[in-house]
Amino acid sequence: MINSEHEAQLNDAALEPILRTGARGAVVLAGIATAIVIGLWFAFYLFVFVPRAAP
Amino acid sequence: MLHNKKLILAHFWLAFGGFGFALLLGEWQMYIRSPLHAWLGNPELYYRSVTAHGTTMAYVLPTLVAMGFGYAITEAALKRPLIGRKWAWAGLGLVLAGTIVAIIPVSLGLASVLYTFYPPMVGNPFYYIGVVMVVVGSWIWVALTVINLHAWKRDNPGAPVPLAMYANTAGALLWAWTAVGAAIELLFQIIPAALGLTTTIDAGLARVFFSWTLHAIVYFWLFPAYIAYYTIVPRAIGGRLFSDPMARISFSLFLVVAMPIGVHHLFADPQVGAGFKFLHSAFTALVSLPTLLTVFTICASVEIAGRLRGGKGALGWLKVLPWDNPLMLAVAFSFVMLGFGGAGGLINMSYQLDSSIHNTQWVTGHFHLIFGGAIVIMYFAIAYDLWPHLTGRALTSFRLMRAQLWTWFVGMIVLTFPWHYVGILGMPRRMAFYDYTDPAMAGEAASVMMSVLGGAILVVSEILFFTVLIRGHRAPRVEAGEYRFSVATHEPHSVPAALNGFGLWVSLMLGLTIINYGFPIAHLMALRDTSVPVVRVGGAK
Amino acid sequence: MSEEKLFSLRNRWFTGAVGLTVAIAAVAALFGFVLLPSLQTGATFADTWDKICTAAGLVRPTTLVSPVIKPDFQTSEVIVTPQMMGPTDTVSIGRGATLALRCTMCHGARGLSEADSPNLAGQYETAVYKQLQDFKTGARTSAVMSPRVTDLSDQDMRDLAAYFAYLPRLPGYHPTGDVPAPRIVISGAPLRNIPPCAACHGAIEYKTGAAWLEGESPVYLKAQLEAFATGTRRNDISQQMRNIARNMTPAEIAAAAEYYSRQPAAAVSEAAGLK
Amino acid sequence: MSETASPGIEKSEQVERRWATISIVIVSALVVMAAFAGIHQATMPQTRIETVDPRTLHIAGEFIESNLGSALEADGSVTVRAVGQQYSFTPQCIVVPTDTPVTFRATSADVVHGFLIEHSNINTMLVPGYVSSITTRFATPAEVYMPCHEFCGVGHEGMWARIKIIDKAAFQKLAADRRRLDCVAQ
């Protein structure tokens, strides 16, 4: 089993302040990732689909 | 504590053995149809190879990984030995026998119909019979999974089913139902024709049955990867699973909406009504919901690990993550490939946008990125994590593992990005060679050669992978301890009945199947004049 | 923990999940079956019910805007399917042997011609049968063949086809290290819509109706390819052979004809030696 | 579930719900965009299901050899009929005008084939037993390839047709002499 050497740190007391930040980092990261995905969809729509569509 | 180590190890080795062989075929195919090689003297060899590559990669590898990993989860999560050990060996035997039965006619060139079958072309019956045996073998695993969960629930009334087992069972149930489509196509349409009992076949109906399997099978492939995201990664990197109920909701959603959406593979087909195409398109959009939820939950779980290690700021926690840990690396690579592959997938499923790239090389690029990339890299990660528990020996070389994961990631990107690009240019799929000397195709030559290079990097990665595993079998013995899963930030003491069983979700899955597939199938079956002559393949005399 | 009843209207998970699923299905169906068909240009529907049935995929009759243009020449009327000939029948072969006596002048006593007429020994049943039918209907014309098939019944043609298919055929003779095989035969020319010959003619895969070409007279093969190319021979269904031949250069036609005609000197006399 | 939830847990559940809501909005937006694209760009899947017997295409009906190719209809639109077979499309060179509604009607005589006009959104499957139909317009003159994009047997790699998009006036002139047009060199 591959574990991080920091696994021992796991305790609820350390966890609580982190949870209170409301997963800010995850919102930013997942938000950026989702935005890129949706951006790619629109890029395809605008630069591939629309130019080829029937006038 | 894993009780049936040999059983699990046998599944993984057979899966990876087939994978290793099929990967070489894949790279040979990339090379042979590229500008680097002269046109193949016998194009049938190419289609034969594609059939073997696809059959092994799509049916044998993921099925065996899901089965082996599934047995490991059943024992480790329920903390008791597997019930039905002999049946499990029988299931594995059936999968192995089926693979051999199928691969013989394929390698003799008697069934070069590709793994998607394509009736009215019909090859040697043993190919299809072999595939059916693989599926039936996997159904034994499904039954054992359900039986083991049921027995555990009986002994632990009211207790929450461990998340890993909940997800594992959801995957098994999804597979049980989604395999039915192709099974009907094989048993009632193709095999009778292959045996000479019938001379005609309704190709349109066959495509509808196959679509029933074709999309949800991707989620079946995906389940082990998602289980690893939720139940292995947070533990391995020193974090916590952000939310246990959200994980259950995601897996339940997959169970409901992964299957009744397959007609999006038939957007361009003439035998399905436009209304049903839209219906399936709408539900396909819905299946991206559990993935969006997963992306957030896993990012949040990883964030916890980063913050516990002292990470600060909106993204500063990323820097302090344990990047030397192979599982950290694997999940990061997997997410990047999932993102790009997912973007391609959203384009494919969008009712109209599909027409720009339907059935071009784009599609091949897409599913290699999602399956070969995002999913298979997690299969590697699962193997690395599980191996010491199976062999009782330590995997020590993190450097080698990281090199393997890096090469797989880079190789897959170099392989699939140009592949998507030539698809946009309109390069059709599954041709044994192309004329790159023509000005209209000259622009594709460089991209195709890039893909060959990407494939070569993947072969290097494969060698590294086997090196890690084989060295693992020779390493000094260690006591690996209990095989554990992630702990949630808030471990559930009780969960709602809906999220502790599958009654509701399976009912919805069956109901949606009737709504979305009932009429098209019944209507096509009622048509009398749409069966067409069977065209035999491999029957040259 | 109290027993929580799942399939109950009082369970929020049950009502929520079922309600949402039904709602999504209903909205999507309304869009797909009613709204989108209404917005589609160029489609006309009798009423809403017709719209829904059409979107559901009910088969609609074909309505042609302009009349079908009839051909100004005789096209093949043979229905070619892989199952068209039925199982091998020794009685049929025997009758065919008798009927074949009238063919020996040109096609040889054992189906191997010494003139430039095609060899028929070991020829695919479907190929012989279809050509005979086409000669009879006039889809294929030949000063020699046309008058000789007028009195043949359908069964006669099946018997002849069965007999010739039963005779041993000339195998391919392409020793490695000899003259290299022409690229046009082995790989075709994809962008000119020329697939490899062997993809249909039997060496790799067989397409029903196609002929076995190995050992055939080069003069005959060249003449037929040229006839397909110029359109003087038009009995290939939906132009399947004309599409290929017209894109071949004269040099390629000559090379293909020469390739298939290659035979070891001994083989021909040996195979025909029984006469 | 969360009978003794801490503020941290409550906060995470709140964030989670918001993320789920945003996800649902994204998914709905994509469905609406796709539907909009379909209506606005006129690339809906074919509306009608029609059947045909692949065995007798060459004997009777609209897919006989002499009726294949491009037909100028009385209403000014163009209908193109084509047959896919192992291993060619007939006609193997299709000619269509610019600025005109063009309806392709095609089917297969044997196995499943693919029908793709490169660099366009014209992309459909030919399934034996059924008629595929797709309507479009072409903006500018061009000559592009039209490969079969579905594996149809050994020889699939050689199944490439071409399509010539020519000026509307030039097409009308050609149509005055011949009732079915193609650009196959005789």
Side-chain angles (χ1 to χ4, degrees):
Chain A
M1 173 155 45
I2 297 171
N3 281 319
S4 158
E5 66 275 24
H6 284 73
E7 210 205 3
Q9 284 190 358
L10 265 183
N11 63 69
D12 285 353
L15 212 58
E16 184 61 22
I18 293 172
L19 290 181
R20 273 189 219 168
T21 63
R24 192 159 49 102
V27 170
V28 173
L29 183 64
I32 292 171
T34 309
I36 291 173
V37 168
I38 302 301
L40 285 172
W41 190 94
F42 274 95
F44 186 92
Y45 176 74
L46 292 174
F47 300 115
V48 179
F49 177 74
V50 170
R52 292 179 181 189
Chain B
M1 175 71 192
L2 298 174
H3 299 269
N4 285 292
K5 298 184 173 106
K6 272 191 185 152
L7 174 76
I8 297 162
L9 204 53
H11 279 84
F12 276 101
W13 265 120
L14 282 176
F16 292 139
F19 156 82
F21 158 76
L23 181 67
L24 296 178
L25 287 182
E27 172 59 357
W28 178 79
Q29 288 154 217
M30 291 309 290
Y31 168 67
I32 214 80
R33 66 180 180 73
S34 78
L36 302 170
H37 190 273
W39 291 349
L40 202 55
N42 180 356
E44 192 272 325
L45 289 174
Y46 175 81
Y47 302 116
R48 193 186 300 191
S49 178
V50 177
T51 309
H53 173 84
T55 305
T56 310
M57 292 300 206
Y59 300 142
V60 180
L61 163 72
T63 307
L64 284 172
V65 168
M67 289 166 74
F69 188 39
Y71 291 133
I73 291 170
T74 302
E75 293 199 328
L78 300 183
K79 300 192 197 311
R80 49 202 254 170
L82 182 77
I83 302 167
R85 195 175 61 88
K86 283 187 180 154
W87 280 101
W89 279 106
L92 178 65
L94 208 51
V95 172
L96 178 63
T99 307
I100 293 167
V101 167
I103 219 72
I104 290 172
V106 170
S107 47
L108 294 174
L110 300 177
S112 299
V113 291
L114 309 197
Y115 76 103
T116 37
F117 307 146
Y118 292 131
M121 280 191 283
V122 169
N124 186 286
F126 287 103
Y127 170 59
Y128 308 107
I129 291 169
V131 173
V132 169
M133 286 165 72
V134 170
V135 172
V136 172
S138 71
W139 280 347
I140 294 180
W141 163 72
V142 173
L144 289 178
T145 305
V146 173
I147 289 168
N148 276 278
L149 178 63
H150 187 75
W152 183 89
K153 277 179 124 175
R154 203 183 45 215
D155 299 344
N156 298 273
V161 175
L163 175 64
M165 189 60 189
Y166 186 84
N168 180 38
T169 314
L173 291 171
L174 173 66
W175 173 238
W177 183 238
T178 198
V180 168
I184 294 173
E185 182 197 10
L186 286 170
L187 293 175
F188 295 101
Q189 293 195 281
I190 296 182
I191 292 178
L195 291 171
L197 304 174
T198 53
T199 55
T200 60
I201 192 165
D202 190 324
L205 177 62
R207 287 174 69 81
V208 174
F209 277 130
F210 195 72
S211 81
W212 168 331
T213 297
L214 185 57
H215 199 71
I217 198 174
V218 178
Y219 291 93
F220 167 62
W221 300 341
L222 196 94
F223 257 80
Y226 271 48
I227 295 173
Y229 290 163
Y230 280 105
T231 70
I232 294 181
V233 169
R235 180 260 290 151
I237 63 167
R240 288 272 188 115
L241 173 60
F242 187 71
S243 168
D244 179 280
M246 204 43 112
R248 289 170 198 262
I249 290 172
S250 295
F251 286 114
S252 307
L253 275 174
F254 275 128
L255 189 50
V256 177
V257 288
M259 187 257 140
I261 59 175
V263 163
H264 72 242
H265 290 255
L266 307 180
F267 278 163
D269 272 37
Q271 79 278 19
V272 180
F276 280 102
K277 287 176 182 171
F278 187 80
L279 199 57
H280 281 245
S281 178
F283 277 100
T284 312
L286 203 59
V287 86
S288 52
L289 186 60
T291 293
L292 287 172
L293 298 179
T294 300
V295 168
F296 172 74
T297 306
I298 301 308
C299 284
S301 308
V302 174
E303 184 190 356
I304 292 173
R307 300 225 183 267
L308 281 172
R309 298 167 71 95
K312 301 269 178 271
L315 291 173
W317 52 276
L318 284 168
K319 272 182 288 190
V320 297
L321 288 170
W323 290 108
D324 53 345
N325 185 326
L327 274 149
M328 185 65 238
L329 207 55
V331 76
F333 289 153
S334 180
F335 265 39
V336 172
M337 293 190 279
L338 187 70
F340 286 113
L346 288 177
I347 289 163
N348 298 342
M349 69 104 207
S350 294
Y351 207 34
Q352 319 305 331
L353 269 60
D354 173 62
S355 61
S356 299
I357 38 77
H358 176 80
N359 236 345
T360 63
Q361 298 272 358
W362 166 286
V363 176
T364 343
H366 164 70
F367 68 70
H368 277 83
L369 186 53
I370 280 276
F371 177 50
I375 296 174
V376 168
I377 206 165
M378 290 312 291
Y379 290 0
F380 299 147
I382 291 168
Y384 291 157
D385 193 55
L386 204 49
W387 227 248
H389 294 265
L390 300 174
T391 60
R393 294 163 195 271
L395 290 185
T396 44
S397 181
F398 279 21
R399 257 189 68 181
L400 207 55
M401 291 184 213
R402 286 198 301 269
Q404 190 269 325
L405 295 168
W406 266 107
T407 43
W408 192 261
F409 172 68
V410 171
M412 202 44 86
I413 297 289
V414 176
L415 173 78
T416 56
F417 277 37
W419 218 343
H420 280 82
Y421 174 67
V422 293
I424 292 176
L425 296 180
M427 191 173 178
R429 276 172 82 177
R430 294 167 156 174
M431 286 188 167
F433 45 75
Y434 300 85
D435 187 352
Y436 300 101
T437 59
D438 189 275
M441 289 206 76
E444 290 158 23
S447 302
V448 174
M449 286 191 282
M450 283 283 283
S451 289
V452 179
L453 175 67
I457 299 172
L458 294 179
V459 172
V460 171
S461 183
E462 176 195 6
I463 294 167
L464 293 175
F465 177 62
F466 285 124
T467 309
V468 172
L469 293 191
I470 291 167
R471 279 171 66 170
H473 281 276
R474 294 176 175 178
R477 291 199 161 272
V478 289
E479 184 41 62
E482 189 192 5
Y483 191 75
R484 292 175 295 114
F485 298 101
S486 315
V487 177
T489 52
H490 182 61
E491 275 295 295
H493 300 295
S494 69
V495 290
L499 295 180
N500 210 34
F502 301 95
L504 177 59
W505 314 117
V506 168
S507 308
L508 283 175
M509 173 174 80
L510 298 178
L512 273 181
T513 306
I514 292 168
I515 293 175
N516 285 8
Y517 269 110
F519 181 80
I521 288 175
H523 173 241
L524 290 174
M525 281 174 75
L527 288 183
R528 300 206 158 270
D529 49 356
T530 48
S531 285
V532 301
V534 166
V535 176
R536 287 194 181 282
V537 164
K541 32 181 183 169
Chain C
M1 181 193 160
S2 62
E3 270 300 292
E4 184 190 344
K5 219 166 166 278
L6 180 55
F7 290 92
S8 151
L9 289 178
R10 252 172 281 167
N11 189 316
R12 277 174 47 217
W13 284 93
F14 174 73
T15 48
V18 174
L20 267 175
T21 309
V22 171
I24 293 168
V27 171
L30 187 71
F31 254 81
F33 291 95
V34 184
L35 217 58
L36 288 179
S38 315
L39 296 168
Q40 180 128 26
T41 45
T44 48
F45 301 100
D47 49 34
T48 309
W49 184 240
D50 179 36
K51 215 178 280 172
I52 293 171
C53 291
T54 307
L58 284 188
V59 173
R60 292 294 182 232
T62 299
T63 46
L64 293 182
V65 185
S66 50
V68 169
I69 305 286
K70 299 280 179 218
D72 55 5
F73 60 94
Q74 178 65 44
T75 52
S76 178
E77 286 172 3
V78 186
I79 296 176
V80 177
T81 72
Q83 298 79 24
M84 63 192 280
M85 295 313 284
T88 318
D89 171 1
T90 46
V91 180
S92 180
I93 293 170
R95 276 201 302 262
T98 313
L99 284 166
L101 289 174
R102 63 165 95 177
C103 315
T104 53
M105 181 85 84
C106 299
H107 293 289
R110 297 279 294 166
L112 292 173
S113 166
E114 283 179 283
D116 286 326
S117 325
N119 296 329
L120 297 177
Q123 187 52 272
Y124 293 106
E125 243 183 316
T126 46
V128 173
Y129 173 77
K130 177 175 181 293
Q131 297 309 317
L132 287 173
Q133 283 285 6
D134 285 349
F135 279 126
K136 186 163 179 178
T137 58
R140 185 175 177 186
T141 51
S142 152
V144 184
M145 283 301 289
S146 299
R148 283 176 173 75
V149 296
T150 48
D151 62 333
L152 288 181
S153 70
D154 182 75
Q155 189 57 49
D156 291 342
M157 296 182 196
R158 287 177 185 276
D159 295 342
L160 280 165
Y163 169 68
F164 285 120
Y166 155 81
L167 295 176
R169 69 165 54 134
L170 291 179
Y173 176 72
H174 310 287
T176 47
D178 208 5
V179 202
R183 184 148 128 150
I184 195 71
V185 170
I186 298 305
S187 306
L191 292 181
R192 278 188 282 150
N193 198 188
I194 304 172
C197 304
C200 293
H201 288 282
I204 296 175
E205 196 58 87
Y206 180 63
K207 177 175 157 95
T208 310
W212 180 252
L213 302 177
E214 297 289 358
E216 215 56 276
S217 144
V219 178
Y220 175 74
L221 287 178
K222 186 162 172 284
Q224 296 311 310
L225 280 171
E226 283 166 351
F228 279 128
T230 55
T232 49
R233 180 175 168 188
R234 297 187 284 197
N235 70 320
D236 53 329
I237 291 171
S238 299
Q239 307 206 38
Q240 49 192 249
M241 198 57 220
R242 276 169 284 170
N243 281 340
I244 295 165
R246 75 165 70 90
N247 290 318
M248 293 171 76
T249 63
E252 286 169 343
I253 287 179
E258 191 276 331
Y259 172 83
Y260 275 109
S261 68
R262 263 180 231 166
Q263 282 291 306
V268 187
S269 53
E270 193 185 318
L274 289 169
K275 72 177 168 181
Chain D
M1 307 186 261
S2 44
E3 52 278 356
T4 56
S6 67
I9 297 292
E10 272 172 12
K11 176 79 183 170
S12 7
E13 284 178 354
Q14 184 195 350
V15 174
E16 201 170 69
R17 271 195 300 275
R18 272 190 211 153
W19 179 266
T21 312
I22 294 169
S23 302
I24 291 167
V25 169
I26 291 173
V27 166
S28 317
L30 281 178
V31 176
V32 172
M33 267 306 286
F36 165 78
I39 301 157
H40 186 243
Q41 306 291 344
T43 43
M44 298 294 285
Q46 72 183 73
T47 39
R48 296 158 62 89
I49 307 297
E50 296 172 40
T51 60
V52 68
D53 187 350
R55 280 160 281 223
T56 55
L57 295 180
H58 59 295
I59 297 173
E62 61 178 312
F63 293 106
I64 60 171
E65 189 183 325
S66 49
N67 200 44
L68 298 177
S70 310
L72 184 58
E73 306 288 4
D75 64 359
S77 71
V78 168
T79 305
V80 181
R81 287 188 185 78
V83 168
Q85 63 197 349
Q86 289 174 324
Y87 294 101
S88 60
F89 292 100
T90 301
Q92 67 183 174
C93 181
I94 288 172
V95 61
V96 288
T98 53
D99 295 325
T100 310
V102 177
T103 299
F104 291 91
R105 289 179 62 80
T107 190
S108 163
D110 38 41
V111 300
V112 178
H113 297 283
F115 186 99
L116 163 73
I117 297 176
E118 291 193 337
H119 310 294
S120 84
N121 288 338
I122 310 302
N123 193 333
T124 190
M125 307 300 301
L126 307 186
V127 180
Y130 302 88
V131 180
S132 300
S133 151
I134 188 165
T135 300
T136 189
R137 298 168 78 94
F138 294 93
T140 44
E143 181 170 353
V144 290
Y145 280 108
M146 194 182 104
C148 168
H149 65 41
E150 189 63 283
F151 175 66
C152 56
V154 180
H156 167 54
E157 69 285 341
M159 191 164 167
W160 291 74
R162 280 175 303 138
I163 181 157
K164 268 186 192 166
I165 304 149
I166 62 170
D167 182 66
K168 190 176 180 178
F171 184 90
Q172 302 268 3
K173 228 169 102 183
L174 287 176
D177 301 334
R178 283 162 61 197
R179 295 170 67 193
R180 294 292 178 268
L181 297 177
D182 58 48
C183 44
V184 174
Q186 281 297 336

